[in-house]
Each structure stands twice: as C-alpha cells, then as structure tokens.
Amino acid sequence: MFFCITLIASLLAVLPPASASSACRCFPGDACWPSESAWSQFNKTIDGRLISTVPLGTPCHTPNHNATACAVLKAGWELPEEHYESSSSVMAPFFANGTCDPYHSVSKPCTLGNYVWYSINVTSPAHISYALKFATKHNIRIIIRNTGHDYNGRSTGAGALAIWTHHLKDLEIHEYKDKHYAGKAITMGAGVQGFEAYEIADENDLQVVGGECPTVGLAGGYSQGGGHSALSSRYGLGADQVLKWEVVDGQGNFITATRDNEYSDIFWALSGGGGGTYGVVWSMTSMAHPGTPVSGLNLTYTNTNLAASSFYSTIEKFHENLPALVDAGAMCIWSYTNTSFVISPITGPNIPVAKLVKLLEPFTAILDKLNINYTMSTGQYSSYYGQFKDMQGTIEVGIAQYGGYLIPRSVVENNNKALVQAYREITEAGATFIGVGLNASHKVSGDVYNAVLPAWREALIDTTLTTPWEWDDDALMVERQNQMTYEFIPKLEALAPSSGAYMNEGNFQQPDFQRVFYGSNYDALRKIKSKYDPNDIFYAKTAVGSAEWREREDGRLCKVNQWQPSCAEYGTV
Ligand SMILES: Cc1cc2nc3c(=O)[nH]c(=O)nc-3n(C[C@H](O)[C@H](O)[C@H](O)COP(=O)(O)OP(=O)(O)OC[C@H]3O[C@@H](n4cnc5c(N)ncnc54)[C@H](O)[C@@H]3O)c2cc1C
Ligand SMILES: *[C@@H]1O[C@H](CO)[C@@H](O)[C@H](O)[C@H]1NC(C)=O
Ligand SMILES: *[C@@H]1O[C@H](CO)[C@@H](O)[C@H](O)[C@H]1NC(C)=O
Ligand SMILES: *[C@@H]1O[C@H](CO)[C@@H](O)[C@H](O)[C@H]1NC(C)=O
Ligand SMILES: *[C@@H]1O[C@H](CO)[C@@H](O)[C@H](O)[C@H]1NC(C)=O
Ligand SMILES: *[C@@H]1O[C@H](CO)[C@@H](O)[C@H](O)[C@H]1NC(C)=O
Ligand SMILES: *[C@@H]1O[C@H](CO)[C@@H](O)[C@H](O)[C@H]1NC(C)=O
Ligand SMILES: *[C@@H]1O[C@H](CO)[C@@H](O)[C@H](O)[C@H]1NC(C)=O
Ligand SMILES: *[C@@H]1O[C@H](CO)[C@@H](O)[C@H](O)[C@H]1NC(C)=O
C-alpha cells in the first residue's frame, strides 16, 4: 500500500533499477547481505545483544496461531504499552503495513514487511558505534527506535537494523550551571519515558516538560522534534529545556554537545531539528523547574438541541478566549467532531483553580446563554504529576491517521470566522479536530538556542486532524490520507501560508515538508547533517535529507538525488 499514495508516475522516472545497486541499501536476500556467520560475528562484538525480529502479532497467524495469546494481544493492541516492550512493533498502523497483527486473516503467515529485520538492545555507546560501523560497511539501513510512538513511521523500516534505546533508563536529578542557566536539571538516558521523569521530578518537588502521553520517550523523537507539554505556556517546548546532549554521531563518535562548546551546531540541530537524523542520542540533560501547585479543568457538551451554526459559534467564542488563558500560563487540550466538544483538560501550573474557572468565563457564559447543558469538572493539585495522573485520560493508538497545522495567534485575532468555517467544513466531512492551545513564544521560552520550527513561537493553536483507521480497507485508508493532504490541511494553510506544522503530529505526505516542518532552519540543518552523518547512514521519513531517498513498494531504500551543499533545499525532488 506504500506508494500508491504518492505520485507513482513521477517516482518511477527517478527510481534506480531493481537490482541491488549501490544506490540502494543492501536488502535481505541480496548478494551483499552479510552471511549468517558475519551476523554472528557482529553479534559477539555487541555482547550478544542482537535480536532477530519475531513480529509481535506472530501468535495471531498460521503456523504459530495461538488463539489465547492472540486474544491477549488484540485486547492490548490499541495501548502503547504492548508496542514499546517489543523490539520491533510500531503503533502507527499504516507503517505496520498489515503484515502481522490481530486484525488480518489467521491463514496468512506473517512476514517482516516494514518491520526492522534485526534490532540491538543497546546498553552502551560502544554497541551503537559498532552498529553504525557494521551498517556503513555493509550498506545496511539503520533505524533508531525508542518507543515506536512515531505517527510517521520513522521508527521502523524494511530490511533495517534497529538501534533500540528503550532500556537506557538512567535517571538523575542534579544541580547545573552554565552561562545561561543555573538550577536543577534532570539527566535522562535515551529510553526514559514521560512517567519515569515525572515521578522522579515529583519526588524532588520539581516539574519537567514532557508529553500528554506518559509513555512517549522524552530524549527521543519528542524533545528532538519540538515537544509540546501541558507546561509549555509556562516554560516553553521540550526542546527549549535542553542543556546538554550526549550523542553518537553517524561515524560512531561519542560527543557531548552543549550550546557553548565546539559541538554547539549539533546541539542546535538535535534541539528541535528532528529525531533519527544527526546521531543516536545517548542521554539528554534538561532543566527541571521548581514544583508548583497545578489546577485542572475539563468540560464537555454535545450538539443536542443545538443548531450547527450555534454549535460552531461556541467554538468561535472558545478561540477568542484562548489568548487570555494561555498568556496566564495555562495549556489547553480540546477536541471536537461535528456533534460533541471536549476539553481534556486545561492545565494551570501555579494558577489557582478559581482563577482558571474565571479565565474561562467568557466561554462558559456563552454556553449558559445558549442553554447548553455542559459538564465541567475542576481540580486543585499540589503538583503537576498529581494533576496529570488524575486528569489526563488514556490516549489510544492505532485508531487514526493524522495531519496537522500550526495556527498563528493573528489568524484567531483577525480571521476567526474563516478559521471556524474551515474547521467546520473539515469536521463535517468526518474528521476529528484535536487542539493544543499554548503560548510557546520567546517571551515564555526565554533565551534559547535551538532548531525549533519558528512558527511555534507565533502559534496559538497546534491543530491535529484525525480520520478513523480501518484495518481491512487499505484503499479507503489511502483515500482518507489523500483527503487529509489535498483537502483538509490546505484549508488551514490558506489561512496562514507562512506558518508550518509540528513534524511529530503532521501529515506524512505533507508536500513541501522541508519548509512546513523545518521552516527557515532547513538549509542549516541539512549542512549539520552532512557534517555529522557524512555517509547518510540515518534516514527517516520526512526527516532532514529524506527527500534524497525513496522507499520502494517492498520497503527497499534507494538514493534518488544527490545533496548539493550550495543549492537551496526547498522543493527538491
Ligand atoms: C499517544 C501519543 C501521544 C502523544 N503525545 C504527545 C504530546 O503530548 N506532545 C508531543 O509533543 N508529542 C506527542 N506525541 C508525539 C511524539 O512526540 C512522537 O511520536 C515522538 O516521535 C515519539 O518519540 P519516541 O522517541 O518516543 O518514539 P519513536 O517512535 O521510537 O521515535 C521517534 C523518532 O525519534 C527518533 N529517535 C528516537 N530515539 C532517538 C535517539 N535516542 N536518538 C536519535 N533519534 C531518536 C526515531 O528514529 C524516530 O525518528 C504523541 C504520540 C502518541 C502516539
Ligand atoms: C546473539 O547472541 C546471543 C548470545 O549468544 C544469542 O542469545 C542471540 O540469539 C544472538 N542473536 C542472534 C540474532 O543470533
Ligand atoms: C498459547 O498461549 C498461552 C498464553 O500466552 C500459553 O499459556 C500457552 O502455553 C500457549 N499454547 C501453546 C500451545 O503454545
Ligand atoms: C506493504 O503491504 C503491501 C500489500 O498491502 C505490499 O505490497 C508491500 O510490499 C508492503 N510493504 C512493505 C514495506 O512491507
Ligand atoms: C534488553 O536488555 C535489558 C537490559 O539488559 C533486559 O532487561 C531486557 O530483557 C532485554 N530485552 C530483550 C528483548 O532482549
Ligand atoms: C505569552 O506570555 C507571555 C507571558 O508569559 C507574555 O509576555 C506574552 O505577551 C504572551 N503572548 C505572546 C504572543 O507572546
Ligand atoms: C444535563 O446533562 C445531565 C448529564 O449529562 C443529565 O443528567 C440532565 O438530565 C441534563 N439536563 C437537561 C436539562 O438536559
Ligand atoms: C474530568 O476529570 C475528572 C477528574 O478530575 C475525571 O474523573 C473525569 O472523568 C474527567 N472527565 C472528562 C470528560 O474527561
Ligand atoms: C457530521 O459528520 C458525519 C460524519 O462525517 C456526517 O455523516 C454528518 O452528515 C455530519 N453532520 C452534519 C450536520 O454535518
């Protein structure tokens, strides 16, 4: 199903021939693929930590079918936990590609398909270094895999060797001082997940910036891609917190990068310029902020007895209310379809709950005026983690396809009616809107040096749009993602053509992704990649440099375009 989705005709024209040419990564079955004994020799150099992929869904298919085990897998398939404990599974169903899961016919044997061929359960930088050297020597595709949360398939790939960072769990709270910051800091191994960092911070009366999903990895795709948080209107994005990276670059060198040392260029790139691109992060040191009381509010209503025009007028009012809310330091998550609206939740770090309720009054007053029977629930907590555990609901995976766009504050201030009209057309056509309302401007982030997409600084609404996933209708899924690409997102782009989209929650088919996901940082990022990854060992879909490669139908990765350092990168291929 992979490439029916892009413009096949134009691609075929540039694809190299099907034989294993050096323009393509060596693929299992090719003559260049290392022998069993070469793999076995390699396994010894990495302390026997090489894992041959057995896809997670194996008990659901012949000849290994086990109905009991498969039922357990099916019950947990839409929860992140099941996937990040696996060395190969990924949560985004489009990229799992239906080759081994509980939703397809038992009689169809599993194939590895788009799953990695091998992974390495790394526990030392040397394992990573050896892996990169082995892969470079044999021209093998490398994947950096942490939790497998990525919506755009960047943590999986056919015929690849994965560097699996999940078990790098070192975690330490300490003092930190440099020219720009003095205070508490948290150093996390690359495998540390949100809940682990929140917990240790909480025990130390601190709070750290992390995602809404407690199991996303903080030092992986999240902080490297930007990272929005319930605390972002108070402290900025995940990437804004970073003080130091330890990273193994594309040639296997272990580097400690800070804003002020000789590696400040890769420090800048790793902080917001995208995961899986410049090196394999070993650890991240970030600011840890003093703990505060945190309030929360959630609210929900439906369109019962309400004309569509009134229902959408409440959304217009909600937008008008957002600047005051986020400027006070609150962050808001909300979602709606054409029939129901949910705030889930508003987080108010150091905002007393009574003030939070008051900040929302212009909106609730309109609900009262329209006689809308809404349910509101509020809470006051002594810490962020307390609020998080009580008010942040479970987020399911494998149920949707995604696309997104950042809406600048100016659109809400000057063109709110047109914005609501666009959202109305999109939700009436069957998509679900999910919003993140925040103020991550430089006034909030303070003096930072990083590659965060500049559009984040102007954004008021990080829009995510989703369409429902069906396991048994590939053609419809392609159609829906095309509708996302060519119909939904363009309605938002038209309102703010120079804004952009959050790479971690954007559309994997995003045209002109270089500008939309990276903005004016793209050229500088591409140069830094060529310095630290001169052999182009790192590739990930929509990552910097990725337009120079194509994944074929069977997943084979082939070079299609040489990077020219002197050329502008925008719009290549
Ligand atoms: C349920 C859910 C909730 C989410 N909530 C939020 C949220 O609240 N805020 C937010 O900003 N985002 C959120 N996201 C998006 C999330 O930030 C991305 O999916 C992110 O890519 C996950 O990073 P990971 O390292 O955990 O995942 P992976 O899928 O394992 O990796 C993602 C990317 O990072 C690269 N990578 C991972 N580890 C390393 C490393 N050590 N060195 C170099 N590259 C690495 C991978 O190669 C890949 O390209 C959510 C996603 C899901 C599925
Ligand atoms: C790597 O070596 C370990 C230890 O000998 C072994 O358990 C494991 O199966 C090997 N991996 C592969 C893919 O052969
Ligand atoms: C099937 O799976 C269950 C649960 O994992 C396990 O207890 C059982 O031994 C398995 N049966 C066979 C025949 O492997
Ligand atoms: C994905 O699945 C399609 C069939 O649905 C198959 O043709 C293709 O080869 C698969 N791609 C990969 C990378 O496994
Ligand atoms: C990976 O390594 C960790 C740490 O040594 C170990 O606890 C875990 O069981 C390993 N997992 C697999 C699947 O090899
Ligand atoms: C964001 O919040 C800060 C205060 O934290 C405020 O100074 C600023 O005006 C707000 N709005 C914008 C667009 O920066
Ligand atoms: C309002 O909603 C509540 C709970 O959803 C319900 O019990 C109640 O009957 C509703 N009231 C009206 C007037 O619709
Ligand atoms: C709102 O938060 C409360 C906890 O404070 C929770 O019990 C309730 O389920 C939440 N409601 C919604 C709609 O999220
Ligand atoms: C609401 O969305 C659904 C799902 O796409 C659609 O069938 C329905 O017609 C829409 N209703 C209105 C009033 O737009």
Side-chain angles (χ1 to χ4, degrees):
M1 138 161 127
F2 263 65
F3 291 106
C4 5
I5 216 158
T6 35
L7 299 168
I8 286 227
S10 69
L11 284 185
L12 287 178
V14 290
L15 283 176
S19 68
S21 73
S22 62
C24 296
R25 290 280 182 242
C26 188
F27 206 64
D30 291 349
C32 54
W33 190 254
S35 64
E36 283 297 319
S37 73
W39 281 107
S40 165
Q41 199 51 44
F42 169 58
N43 191 11
K44 290 203 179 84
T45 67
I46 52 165
D47 302 325
R49 306 198 70 86
L50 187 67
I51 300 170
S52 215
T53 296
V54 177
L56 185 59
T58 298
C60 296
H61 297 269
T62 203
N64 301 299
H65 183 241
N66 175 332
T68 317
C70 183
V72 172
L73 280 172
K74 192 167 184 177
W77 204 265
E78 288 169 2
L79 296 173
E81 284 70 12
E82 191 157 292
H83 302 277
Y84 66 68
E85 292 302 346
S86 147
S87 65
S88 59
S89 192
V90 288
M91 301 175 203
F94 185 87
F95 296 97
N97 203 28
T99 59
C100 191
D101 60 50
Y103 304 92
H104 289 91
S105 160
V106 169
S107 63
K108 195 181 110 189
C110 288
T111 58
L112 287 190
N114 199 41
Y115 292 117
V116 298
W117 200 265
Y118 286 111
S119 60
I120 309 172
N121 187 2
V122 296
T123 54
S124 82
H127 295 152
I128 300 171
S129 236
Y130 282 127
L132 295 175
K133 285 177 182 154
F134 182 80
T136 303
K137 180 171 166 209
H138 296 282
N139 189 27
I140 287 169
R141 179 174 181 182
I142 281 281
I143 291 285
I144 310 172
R145 165 188 172 72
N146 185 19
T147 63
H149 270 86
D150 200 73
Y151 289 120
N152 291 344
R154 293 176 298 178
S155 39
T156 193
L161 169 63
I163 294 170
W164 185 35
T165 58
H166 177 58
H167 290 281
L168 302 178
K169 294 290 193 184
D170 285 352
L171 199 46
E172 193 199 342
I173 302 274
H174 54 94
E175 295 292 334
Y176 191 93
K177 190 168 181 341
D178 66 13
K179 271 193 268 178
H180 318 281
Y181 177 77
K184 295 280 186 192
I186 180 167
T187 294
M188 307 173 239
V192 168
Q193 293 167 279
F195 68 96
E196 293 160 328
Y198 299 161
E199 192 174 294
I200 194 172
D202 201 61
E203 288 163 8
N204 287 275
D205 288 322
L206 298 166
Q207 53 197 3
V208 296
V209 168
E212 299 301 308
C213 176
T215 59
V216 162
L218 290 199
Y222 173 83
S223 293
Q224 292 178 52
H228 62 72
S229 162
L231 302 178
S232 282
S233 299
R234 187 63 78 198
Y235 307 117
L237 300 172
D240 295 332
Q241 315 305 309
V242 185
L243 301 164
K244 188 203 286 189
W245 295 101
E246 288 181 315
V247 56
V248 180
D249 75 7
Q251 291 182 290
N253 305 306
F254 186 85
I255 286 170
T256 300
T258 70
R259 176 173 176 174
D260 298 311
N261 73 8
E262 62 188 301
Y263 301 111
S264 62
D265 51 359
I266 195 172
F267 171 88
W268 180 84
L270 288 169
S271 310
T277 311
Y278 315 96
V280 183
V281 163
W282 173 254
S283 82
M284 175 178 87
T285 299
S286 287
M287 295 180 220
H289 304 280
T292 64
V294 173
S295 57
L297 180 154
N298 61 25
L299 184 152
T300 173
Y301 57 91
T302 68
N303 68 340
T304 311
N305 299 327
L306 206 58
S309 59
S310 302
F311 179 72
Y312 286 98
S313 78
T314 64
I315 286 162
E316 200 177 314
K317 202 70 196 171
F318 182 74
H319 290 174
E320 286 171 19
N321 202 158
L322 268 175
L325 203 60
V326 300
D327 288 355
M331 192 275 222
C332 181
I333 310 264
W334 74 105
S335 60
Y336 57 88
T337 62
N338 64 356
T339 57
S340 66
F341 179 96
V342 184
I343 294 177
S344 60
I346 301 176
T347 299
N350 214 12
I351 305 175
V353 67
K355 186 175 171 202
L356 200 58
V357 171
K358 188 130 190 73
L359 279 166
L360 201 63
E361 257 172 23
F363 173 61
T364 49
I366 222 68
L367 302 182
D368 290 332
K369 197 170 148 212
L370 290 169
N371 276 317
I372 294 174
N373 185 15
Y374 64 90
T375 308
M376 183 166 92
S377 157
T378 61
Q380 178 68 57
Y381 303 83
S382 60
S383 75
Y384 170 52
Y385 198 41
Q387 191 262 12
F388 183 91
K389 281 190 287 193
D390 201 42
M391 296 200 75
Q392 178 56 53
T394 309
I395 306 176
E396 290 187 327
V397 296
I399 56 171
Q401 296 193 99
Y402 295 77
Y405 208 67
L406 292 164
I407 302 298
R409 181 179 291 230
S410 59
V411 171
V412 171
E413 284 169 351
N414 306 324
N415 212 1
N416 196 19
K417 278 207 181 341
L419 178 63
V420 174
Q421 180 60 30
Y423 286 152
R424 177 173 176 172
E425 288 165 12
I426 291 166
T427 48
E428 287 187 340
T432 296
F433 166 98
I434 304 169
V436 170
L438 80 182
N439 168 355
S441 68
H442 279 302
K443 292 219 175 71
V444 171
S445 69
D447 165 37
V448 289
Y449 179 70
N450 63 39
V452 165
L453 171 68
W456 270 112
R457 307 305 178 189
E458 318 294 326
L460 178 64
I461 303 174
D462 170 26
T463 305
T464 298
L465 303 173
T466 73
T467 54
W469 177 260
E470 321 284 347
W471 290 97
D472 52 4
D473 197 340
D474 292 358
L476 179 64
M477 294 304 93
V478 168
E479 195 182 299
R480 284 191 182 153
Q481 197 64 18
N482 285 338
Q483 190 180 28
M484 182 69 77
T485 308
Y486 303 110
E487 183 186 330
F488 295 160
I489 307 284
K491 285 183 197 290
L492 302 179
E493 281 173 330
L495 294 166
S498 59
S499 188
Y502 179 27
M503 68 177 84
N504 284 348
E505 294 171 346
N507 168 16
F508 68 85
Q509 301 194 97
Q510 179 64 51
D512 199 12
F513 74 85
Q514 294 95 329
R515 184 189 60 76
V516 176
F517 291 168
Y518 304 91
S520 55
N521 294 330
Y522 190 84
D523 284 349
L525 289 169
R526 184 63 190 84
K527 289 200 181 85
I528 293 167
K529 178 174 173 61
S530 76
K531 176 173 166 191
Y532 290 94
D533 181 26
N535 301 317
D536 272 337
I537 196 75
F538 302 117
Y539 163 89
K541 200 168 193 68
T542 73
V544 166
S546 60
E548 295 151 36
W549 298 83
R550 278 293 171 244
E551 280 176 81
R552 297 200 207 168
E553 175 73 16
D554 63 357
R556 184 191 292 266
L557 190 62
C558 298
K559 194 114 194 175
V560 292
N561 202 348
Q562 219 54 48
W563 180 55
Q564 301 292 335
S566 56
C567 291
E569 267 288 295
Y570 301 137
T572 47
V573 180

